[in-house]
Amino acid sequence: MSQKHLKEAFISNLNGTSLLEISVGLSLAPLCLLGRGLLLILYYLHYGKPLRSRKHSLLLDFLVLVSPLLLSCTVLSPIIFFMPTIIAAFCAGVFSKIYSQRKHETRVPFRQIVKDFQETYLDPEYIPAITVFRVYVNVLTSISILAVDFPQYPRRYAKAETYGTGVMDLGVGAFIFGNALVCPEVRQKSYVTQPKFSNLARQFFSIWPLIFLGVGRLLSVKSIEYHEHTSEYGVHWNFFFTLAFVRLAASLLLAIFPKKNSWIVAINLAVLYQLILNTTSLKMFILHGSNGRDTRVGFLNANREGLLSLFGYLAIYMASVQVGLCLLKCRNSVKGWIEAVCFLLLTVLVLFVFLHVSQAYVDPVSRRMANLSYCIWVVAHCLTFFIYFVVTDLVLVFTKLLVKGSSVPCCWNVVKPPNTSTKHETEAVPIGREGKLSHICLISAINKNQLLFFLLANVMTGTVNMLIDTMHSKTAFALCMLHLYMFFNCLIMYILHAKNIVLKFW
């Protein structure tokens, strides 16, 4: 077999892993974020000033926010179920040190701290968990697209062939979910009246970079005969095209139907698509082509997975729009967000019950078809991932109350309560220095140029695969390459952010 066919076989015919392992793995990123925040607060407690060295902050962010995730999906994957406990124990130790070393004059009874915490007001204009969710989906995807070509990356984490729940299967849906959280229809204020199809026209203009990147990827992959998994999207289709067409179709639906009912549209789309899969020959067509022998003759046959899975991804997008609208309701206090977390947890529980029923009586999870079970699974796990980040932020807010003046980048700003005596007063005055710290935060750096980060990761992945025989790499060499690859990508984003450069012109 040629090197190209060997690599294609290396990432094909896989079955995924368990839902439990994915849920456990998702807790690692929030725990790393919590550890980074607690270390910065401990630094402030010791030195009386925040960490301002750009070199040191970049090194800290990379070693704490990125490196553990890279190790957990390679050499530490056999002990993945112990990893959250280990990191949580480290965080508990740092928190205990912070609590015990506070200055005596600032100490107040723990019960009073809890009461003050519940009454704390948070900046209503910024929900850091959304930013961190989207950045981490990008980071985890960037790690996986190269790591999957090394033998140290467990095959159960790679994309499943037809049915199954691989880590990379979730990443595809999570990208769609994260994009919808910040789409124009969600960010647009409810009291602002605009022409019904204005967002659709804006999306027509905004998706051209995705189309351009999709065409560029297609031409480059075909010209250099780069290995590809045909049953993933098809012969000519790729994820850039999926992102573009889902965004455009969603804007059309949101122009026709009220956005507050987007969850109804999502359910109808997913259920109707599943009914068609089960009652017609569509499922057999997706899996085996029009002749039943996996033909790729004709555009529809060649790209059937990419084209027909759009219905499932569109359902995920519409469900995420509803989540985004729910999150942007004015919850400007810790108590309000605790109630929101409880509501989201209840929603996740209901979704997992539906997922169990759907897998048992309808169809197992299939990313290839983006069927009903896949849609439920993606939304349930994305909500779980988001809840982890909200809880992390609330813990950091509580810790900042223990150490007055401390601050953590990409964490909630504590604000003064709005003036309730004035009826229309809605302004809240930030307390602390989070805004000044944004220039030394890796998360903010990646967030500012997310599409560029993803594109750079794809280019670097292709370059590494062309220069190195990844399939036969030793463990030390593989880890070294993966760390260099991720550090280079992060460094580029960090430099652009430090120079306040945003490479977005659409």
Side-chain angles (χ1 to χ4, degrees):
M1 293 176 70
S2 67
Q3 187 75 1
K4 177 177 184 289
H5 290 109
L6 282 171
K7 288 195 173 185
E8 287 174 355
F10 191 54
I11 57 175
S12 301
N13 302 311
L14 304 171
N15 299 313
T17 186
S18 66
L19 298 178
L20 178 61
E21 185 169 14
I22 292 175
S23 298
V24 170
L26 288 178
S27 68
L28 295 178
L31 285 170
C32 290
L33 188 71
L34 177 61
R36 191 279 299 255
L38 292 174
L39 286 174
L40 288 174
I41 294 172
L42 183 62
Y43 181 92
Y44 180 88
L45 183 63
H46 273 280
Y47 296 99
K49 61 181 181 179
L51 178 64
R52 295 203 175 276
S53 168
R54 290 184 176 182
K55 292 179 181 177
H56 292 160
S57 62
L58 173 60
L59 189 61
L60 173 69
D61 281 358
F62 184 80
L63 291 178
V64 178
L65 300 181
V66 178
S67 188
L69 303 179
L70 197 159
L71 294 172
S72 68
C73 66
T74 50
V75 292
L76 296 182
S77 58
I79 59 166
I80 189 70
F81 286 97
F82 298 101
M83 289 292 292
T85 305
I86 295 170
I87 301 176
F90 170 78
C91 292
V94 177
F95 178 84
S96 176
K97 195 170 184 65
I98 291 171
Y99 188 78
S100 63
Q101 291 190 3
R102 291 177 302 147
K103 293 179 181 179
H104 291 286
E105 59 267 21
T106 63
R107 288 189 176 181
V108 292
F110 187 79
R111 185 177 298 178
Q112 183 63 40
I113 295 173
V114 173
K115 184 179 178 182
D116 293 342
F117 171 65
Q118 291 177 335
E119 296 173 355
T120 298
Y121 277 79
L122 305 171
D123 185 358
E125 298 298 321
Y126 175 57
I127 303 173
I130 294 178
T131 299
V132 177
F133 173 92
R134 298 181 71 242
V135 167
Y136 259 116
V137 167
N138 215 329
V139 168
L140 290 168
T141 302
S142 299
I143 292 172
S144 295
I145 60 175
L146 179 58
V148 71
D149 294 315
F150 288 91
Q152 290 75 21
Y153 189 86
R155 296 301 92 192
R156 67 184 186 276
Y157 289 177
K159 289 177 181 175
E161 184 68 27
T162 300
Y163 294 105
T165 51
V167 174
M168 294 184 72
D169 292 313
L170 178 63
V172 177
F175 243 105
I176 299 288
F177 188 94
N179 272 7
L181 285 179
V182 295
C183 70
E185 291 83 1
V186 170
R187 289 184 280 111
Q188 183 179 310
K189 302 293 185 182
S190 58
Y191 55 80
V192 176
T193 56
Q194 290 187 345
K196 207 167 187 180
F197 291 91
S198 63
N199 286 324
L200 180 62
R202 194 179 304 128
Q203 289 287 27
F204 259 114
F205 180 69
S206 66
I207 66 169
W208 75 261
L210 294 173
I211 299 293
F212 177 79
L213 292 173
V215 172
R217 188 185 192 282
L218 171 64
L219 294 177
S220 60
V221 165
K222 299 301 180 185
S223 63
I224 64 175
E225 294 189 350
Y226 189 75
H227 67 276
E228 52 185 333
H229 194 183
T230 305
S231 65
E232 187 177 346
Y233 295 107
V235 178
H236 312 104
W237 203 262
N238 58 58
F239 188 54
F240 290 112
F241 292 141
T242 294
L243 277 177
F245 282 91
V246 165
R247 281 175 58 176
L248 196 60
S251 290
L252 177 60
L253 288 176
L254 291 167
I256 298 172
F257 301 101
K259 60 184 180 181
K260 65 180 180 181
N261 295 331
S262 58
W263 68 278
I264 299 175
V265 178
I267 292 173
N268 283 321
L269 264 174
V271 171
L272 180 61
Y273 176 51
Q274 185 64 56
L275 281 173
I276 295 173
L277 285 174
N278 285 1
T279 57
T280 69
S281 59
L282 185 63
K283 183 189 294 185
M284 293 302 295
F285 171 72
I286 295 174
L287 298 180
H288 305 293
S290 58
N291 66 352
R293 288 177 292 183
D294 200 26
T295 179
R296 293 288 173 179
V297 178
F299 183 77
L300 184 57
N301 265 307
N303 304 286
R304 55 185 184 266
E305 294 91 349
L307 292 169
L308 293 170
S309 63
L310 288 173
F311 294 102
Y313 289 126
L314 184 56
I316 293 170
Y317 192 100
M318 296 300 289
S320 181
V321 168
Q322 189 70 57
V323 174
L325 292 172
C326 177
L327 294 176
L328 289 183
K329 289 180 180 177
C330 189
R331 291 189 180 91
N332 56 0
S333 68
V334 167
K335 188 176 181 181
W337 273 103
I338 292 175
E339 292 171 355
V341 166
C342 293
F343 174 75
L344 290 175
L345 282 172
L346 180 61
T347 304
V348 168
L349 179 62
V350 171
L351 285 172
F352 274 116
V353 171
F354 281 133
L355 176 60
H356 176 75
V357 173
S358 180
Q359 291 217 94
Y361 300 103
V362 182
D363 214 12
V365 172
S366 173
R367 184 259 324 146
R368 187 174 177 182
M369 291 183 282
N371 59 1
L372 176 63
S373 294
Y374 177 77
C375 295
I376 298 172
W377 173 58
V378 167
V379 174
H381 268 89
C382 285
L383 282 177
T384 302
F385 199 33
F386 180 79
I387 290 169
Y388 287 158
F389 285 124
V390 173
V391 172
T392 297
D393 275 335
L394 291 176
V395 173
L396 290 175
V397 169
F398 180 81
T399 312
K400 288 194 293 182
L401 292 178
L402 298 176
V403 184
K404 301 298 181 182
S406 62
S407 47
V408 179
C410 289
C411 176
W412 256 311
N413 290 338
V414 176
V415 299
K416 294 178 181 177
N419 186 0
T420 54
S421 62
T422 307
K423 185 176 181 181
H424 299 289
E425 181 65 59
T426 58
E427 294 184 357
V429 182
I431 303 173
R433 301 170 183 163
E434 282 83 348
K436 295 180 181 178
L437 285 172
S438 63
H439 68 286
I440 58 170
C441 179
L442 182 59
I443 293 172
S444 298
I446 296 173
N447 182 57
K448 185 170 279 189
N449 286 288
Q450 286 214 50
L451 183 57
L452 178 65
F453 182 79
F454 184 60
L455 177 61
L456 184 61
N458 276 269
V459 172
M460 288 291 295
T461 296
T463 304
V464 171
N465 269 282
M466 286 189 292
L467 297 176
I468 296 169
D469 179 13
T470 56
M471 287 193 304
H472 301 98
S473 298
K474 301 294 184 182
T475 300
F477 179 77
L479 291 178
C480 181
M481 286 305 305
L482 288 169
H483 275 89
L484 284 173
Y485 152 80
M486 283 305 298
F487 186 77
F488 177 78
N489 291 346
C490 292
L491 179 62
I492 296 296
M493 297 302 107
Y494 197 83
I495 292 171
L496 290 175
H497 187 44
K499 295 182 178 297
N500 199 29
I501 297 174
V502 181
L503 295 179
K504 183 176 180 179
F505 42 87
W506 57 90

